Amino acid sequence: MKDALAIHRWLLAHQIHHEIVRLPRALTCADELPEVLSADPATCVGVSVFEVTTRIGREPVAVVSSVDNPPRPGGIGATLGARRVRPASAFTVNSATDYAAGLVCPLLLPDGLTVLVDERLGQTTGLVHTPTGERHTALLIRASDLLQLVSGKVADLSPPRPRNEAVTVQLAG
């Protein structure tokens, strides 16, 4: 399993300024980062792994997003043209990412893994926190550096507008 030391060494090799933060209490998942760190949920980044079924077969897909805007299966399915999208089991997460389930870091993900990055993360400025695969540490890094280092496809994963919602159109004239 990958851990904080592997991430730290990789970031040092890439000369990226970062900090491995020792947490005051253990995490069970990335969703707990805002509470444990007293941080804004928009500045905490997590990775959700889904099992996606397409015409070709089933595969795990990792989705990088802020913990305040978790990905929805419908948005992922629409982006990938999938027939079925469901959260992956802990076993699938562990084997597909080489991180502990719930504590997946967006860095050092395997090359063969499909990764989607929520385009709303591009609006994040400043520093962000993300898990390191370990329960007692988190990574603090500039949002721009993290987004440059994540190897994945940027996608619009915002929730679709309900069909019955009125749309205002303004005509030029």
Side-chain angles (χ1 to χ4, degrees):
M1 289 281 174
K2 294 181 185 136
D3 59 7
L5 184 58
I7 295 166
H8 175 67
R9 287 179 175 161
W10 187 78
L11 289 170
L12 284 177
H14 285 83
Q15 299 180 353
I16 302 295
H17 183 71
H18 67 283
E19 181 180 345
I20 301 296
V21 178
R22 187 97 174 128
L23 301 175
R25 67 177 175 86
L27 292 176
T28 58
C29 68
D31 293 343
E32 296 174 356
L33 278 171
E35 179 187 339
V36 171
L37 294 167
S38 299
D40 179 1
T43 65
C44 296
V45 177
V47 177
S48 303
V49 180
F50 294 87
E51 192 172 277
V52 177
T53 305
T54 62
R55 288 179 288 135
I56 299 169
R58 247 187 313 197
E59 70 170 315
V61 173
V63 181
V64 180
S65 64
S66 67
V67 298
D68 72 334
N69 285 315
R72 297 216 164 106
I76 298 162
T79 300
L80 298 174
R83 294 178 175 175
R84 182 177 178 189
V85 177
R86 65 180 183 167
S89 68
F91 175 79
T92 301
V93 174
N94 295 347
S95 40
T97 66
D98 203 24
Y99 283 105
L103 301 173
V104 179
C105 181
L107 301 175
L108 297 177
L109 293 170
D111 291 334
L113 180 64
T114 301
V115 178
L116 298 177
V117 179
D118 190 334
E119 74 178 5
R120 293 174 287 183
L121 282 178
Q123 300 165 0
T124 306
T125 58
L127 299 172
V128 295
H129 290 92
T130 188
T132 61
E134 296 177 352
R135 297 175 46 137
H136 294 283
T137 60
L139 171 66
L140 179 64
I141 187 170
R142 278 184 291 215
S144 57
D145 288 339
L146 180 67
L147 293 174
Q148 286 178 343
L149 294 169
V150 172
S151 58
K153 175 185 172 190
V154 176
D156 178 8
L157 299 176
S158 57
R161 192 175 21 212
R163 291 182 184 195
N164 59 357
E165 184 178 304
V167 176
T168 305
V169 178
Q170 189 175 21
L171 300 174

